[in-house]
Amino acid sequence: MDDLERRIAQARGDEPADLVLRGGQVFDLITGTMIAGDVAICGDCVVGMGEDYEARQVIDVTGLTLVPGFIDTHLHVESSLVTPFEFDRCVTPRGITTAICDPHEIANVIGLDGIRWFQAASERTLMDLRVQLSSCVPSTEMETAGARIEAEDLRAVMGHPSNIGLAEFMNYPGVIHRDPAVMAKLRLFQGGHIDGHCPQLSGRDLSAYVAAGIRTEHEATTAEEALEKLRKGMRALIREGSVSKDLAALQPVLTDVTAPYMCLCTDDRNPLDIAEQGHLDHMIRELIRRGSPVLAVYRAASLSAAEAFGLKDRGLIAPGLRADIVALDSLEHCRAQLVLCGGRVVDEASFAARGDLPPIGRHSVKAPAVTSGNFRHPGNRRETPVIGIIEGKIITAHLNEDIAPEDGDKRPDPSRDLARIAVIERHGRNGNIATGFVRGFDIRRGAIASTVCHDHHNIAVVGADYDDMALAANRLSDIEGGFVVAHAGRILAELPLPVAGLMSLEPFEAVRDRLILLREAARTLGVTLEEPFLQMAFLALPVIPALKITDRGMVDVTRFEIIAG
């Protein structure tokens, strides 16, 4: 028999199933009821449930509740700081069986080669890694990236089995003002899936954005914003990442009525936060704890996500669908005791059998050597724009502070929580260096620096001391990118990220341990932010309001223009 006939035969019980999960109960996301009985699996497909089946292999799941595998609807694997293979090993055992990623971090560094590398990785990961095609490389014309991807470039990587459509369209001004290059990309994917990114957009501008065929959106940070986007036909993705924490604000919007049109995403979580809190499993627990209906939460985590992205073969435990199954201790605690991806048990043996890919994007940090003098901030006007951090958000405040020049330099002032921030072009294109001010780190001494700097991934450095800023920035070239903490002429802690300056070659456990040391070192400088490195990375993203900085200067995102410092 061929596969189709085998599935039918095993569903009827005419021959034993390949695998049966016995003794548990299935949480049915259609009726909200519990269904007792076996779950029969043929190959990668569920063929029966709620009945008694014979099988070649039986797994006892007595006392456990079976739910469909969780779907993370928007993330950037690179921001987890590990390769797709280590990301797979880190989160799949927690029940995340599908992840819809946008590789635009690596694409901004090395272009189409980065997308192709992710596509190749998706053919090997245990989870189903879906690779969207990056829409905005660079995100705007107000930064220097390592690559540029136009519509015709995207055509060259279309058609891979991992692809659903076009990834988050961050250049929302380009959409609503009908920029020709933007229109070419939208036309290329017209009728397919186009993922959205339009923070604080509303009214007619939002209508224009949605009219372009963009159907999903993860940037809502208030209930009112999410509701307007839902009313205009967008699927709202609740996000809870290492920096962007919108779950508390959007939780009241998730009800049994709205659940079919809401999904969950992380965008993004690093291995330390995953170890301490969890991934989508953490979001599920927290939403239930805050009072969201259990059925609504599990629908958002799987069925609604599958339907939003056109994945018709998953989202339920039902005959004919992928055997992506999570066996839980309870719906409220959401602790995975067993995970199946496409009928395969997730364990170390399965991970070991995947194969690997050689790393890509090595030696990508080509920044100029800097000295303390590069961090001076000239200007004779006392009124100075300052980036105001809002912890737990990637949106920022546009502050204006009175900072008096001294000897032609506006210096950091730790007593007022005014730190120097600088972005150094690191792709070997022009050597740009821009400086400004930021409030919210509470850094009193030393410096922290990173090549994870959205989305262009130049070097970002924040500090109170110019010599330490230079030491930290230059050290990033030595270690091929990563995170560095410096003080008093010494490197206190570092995490090398040699894969495009974004990802480690170490196991996720080693990255987690390094992050602990980095966090502790940053705290010795006075830093109070829970996640200072990824928070710093988003200060350079000029498509998120209100004030940001790139290698070309301070950016007023509301007006979408570079301003004088």
Side-chain angles (χ1 to χ4, degrees):
M1 292 187 290
D2 63 15
D3 289 344
L4 176 61
E5 290 179 303
R6 288 185 64 244
R7 289 199 299 271
I8 296 170
Q10 292 187 21
R12 289 196 75 243
D14 293 341
E15 69 167 60
D18 292 342
L19 172 66
V20 158
L21 305 181
R22 179 165 293 159
Q25 57 181 354
V26 171
F27 185 35
D28 176 31
L29 300 189
I30 300 297
T31 64
T33 58
M34 293 291 181
I35 301 173
D38 292 344
V39 175
I41 297 167
C42 174
D44 64 356
C45 183
V46 173
V47 292
M49 37 85 71
E51 309 285 347
D52 294 331
Y53 282 93
E54 296 299 320
R56 297 177 177 87
Q57 179 186 1
V58 175
I59 298 178
D60 184 4
V61 291
T62 299
L64 301 180
T65 300
L66 308 183
V67 298
F70 309 138
I71 302 173
D72 191 332
T73 53
H74 177 73
L75 58 85
H76 310 280
V77 171
E78 307 97 307
S79 294
S80 70
L81 310 176
V82 294
T83 67
F85 301 101
E86 282 303 301
F87 177 75
D88 185 23
R89 199 170 67 82
C90 183
V91 306
T92 306
R94 294 178 174 272
I96 294 82
T97 57
T98 302
I100 301 173
C101 80
D102 172 7
H104 74 208
E105 318 298 357
I106 196 169
N108 268 278
V109 180
I110 60 174
L112 292 183
D113 286 345
I115 294 177
R116 292 189 178 101
W117 189 72
F118 264 81
Q119 290 175 334
S122 75
E123 298 168 7
R124 294 165 171 79
T125 52
L126 201 58
M127 68 159 41
D128 187 12
L129 184 65
R130 292 302 180 115
V131 183
Q132 301 286 68
L133 298 187
S134 305
S135 65
C136 299
V137 178
S139 67
T140 73
E141 297 301 322
M142 296 181 290
E143 65 211 270
T144 304
R148 175 177 294 274
I149 297 178
E150 302 292 357
E152 285 307 306
D153 301 312
L154 292 174
R155 192 185 299 276
V157 289
M158 292 176 72
H160 190 271
S162 66
N163 183 236
I164 295 171
L166 190 61
E168 56 176 327
F169 219 105
M170 296 180 293
N171 187 359
Y172 57 87
V175 175
I176 63 179
H177 295 298
R178 304 177 297 284
D179 176 88
V182 166
M183 292 298 102
K185 292 175 182 176
L186 293 175
R187 288 190 180 100
L188 184 62
F189 287 86
Q190 200 164 14
H193 186 88
I194 304 175
D195 205 5
H197 173 118
C198 55
Q200 301 181 354
L201 206 61
S202 64
R204 291 181 178 179
D205 283 348
L206 178 59
S207 295
Y209 188 78
V210 179
I214 299 169
R215 289 287 175 258
T216 51
E217 220 284 322
H218 60 274
E219 289 293 342
T221 57
T222 67
E224 293 75 17
E225 184 178 359
L227 285 167
E228 182 183 3
K229 288 172 176 176
L230 284 168
R231 292 182 186 117
K232 290 188 173 176
M234 302 192 93
R235 309 272 183 147
L237 282 48
I238 300 176
R239 173 176 59 186
E240 188 77 358
S242 289
V243 175
S244 312
K245 300 180 185 294
D246 304 316
L247 182 148
L250 301 191
Q251 177 268 327
V253 182
L254 180 60
T255 67
D256 286 331
V257 173
T258 61
Y261 307 98
M262 299 191 74
C263 314
L264 307 183
C265 75
T266 54
D267 189 34
D268 307 281
R269 296 182 75 78
N270 66 44
L272 177 55
D273 288 338
I274 294 169
E276 292 182 341
Q277 297 176 331
H279 199 259
L280 289 188
D281 55 320
H282 164 68
M283 295 185 68
I284 291 168
R285 286 189 292 270
E286 187 64 12
L287 286 164
I288 293 172
R289 187 188 71 79
R290 289 176 176 270
S292 292
V294 173
L295 178 59
V297 173
Y298 279 93
R299 280 176 170 168
S302 53
L303 177 59
S304 302
E307 294 187 342
F309 286 83
L311 298 172
K312 299 298 186 182
D313 64 343
R314 68 199 69 189
L316 291 170
I317 299 176
L321 300 185
R322 270 177 62 96
D324 291 344
I325 299 172
V326 188
L328 301 173
D329 56 352
S330 74
L331 294 177
E332 292 75 20
H333 293 150
C334 192
R335 289 190 289 257
Q337 308 299 303
L338 173 73
V339 179
L340 271 67
C341 276
R344 292 182 293 173
V345 174
V346 173
D347 56 19
E348 285 303 320
S350 297
F351 287 126
R354 295 172 306 179
D356 205 343
L357 287 175
I360 197 170
R362 298 296 302 269
H363 309 290
S364 66
V365 182
K366 303 167 185 175
V370 294
T371 67
S372 59
N374 290 118
F375 299 104
R376 291 170 59 87
H377 189 79
N380 52 22
R381 294 180 60 224
R382 295 175 66 96
E383 184 180 10
T384 306
V386 175
I387 301 170
I389 290 175
I390 304 171
E391 188 165 10
K393 305 290 181 185
I394 57 176
I395 59 173
T396 59
H398 185 159
L399 308 175
N400 285 285
E401 297 291 333
D402 189 299
I403 304 174
E406 297 179 20
D407 298 325
D409 178 32
K410 297 180 181 181
R411 296 191 56 78
D413 186 349
S415 68
R416 298 166 62 192
D417 188 17
L418 293 172
R420 171 71 75 249
I421 183 169
V423 176
I424 304 162
E425 190 275 321
R426 65 99 159 175
H427 302 292
R429 298 298 178 99
N430 51 40
N432 285 347
I433 301 175
T435 61
F437 284 89
V438 61
R439 168 173 284 162
F441 282 90
D442 207 24
I443 189 168
R444 302 287 170 163
R445 60 195 72 84
I448 64 175
S450 170
T451 51
V452 179
C453 185
H454 297 300
D455 282 332
H456 41 81
H457 298 296
N458 290 306
I459 290 172
V461 56
V462 170
D465 181 272
Y466 294 169
D467 287 332
D468 287 331
M469 291 177 73
L471 175 63
N474 289 331
R475 179 60 180 163
L476 290 171
S477 293
D478 297 335
I479 63 174
E480 297 187 66
F483 298 151
V484 171
V485 179
H487 176 234
R490 294 176 50 243
I491 302 296
L492 302 185
E494 64 186 25
L495 169 60
L497 301 174
V499 181
L502 301 170
M503 291 173 278
S504 173
L505 290 171
E506 297 295 317
F508 75 83
E509 295 93 342
V511 174
R512 175 200 63 206
D513 294 346
R514 290 262 199 164
L515 288 171
I516 292 172
L517 297 176
L518 281 159
R519 185 169 63 182
E520 291 173 350
R523 286 174 178 167
T524 68
L525 307 184
V527 173
T528 55
L529 289 173
E530 181 182 349
E531 194 1 289
F533 296 96
L534 293 184
Q535 190 91 56
M536 176 171 61
F538 281 107
L539 300 182
L541 181 56
V543 292
I544 300 288
L547 184 64
K548 297 295 170 73
I549 183 172
T550 74
D551 64 298
R552 299 186 181 181
M554 300 286 277
V555 178
D556 183 333
V557 181
T558 304
R559 297 170 62 182
F560 225 62
E561 66 181 23
I562 296 173
I563 61 175

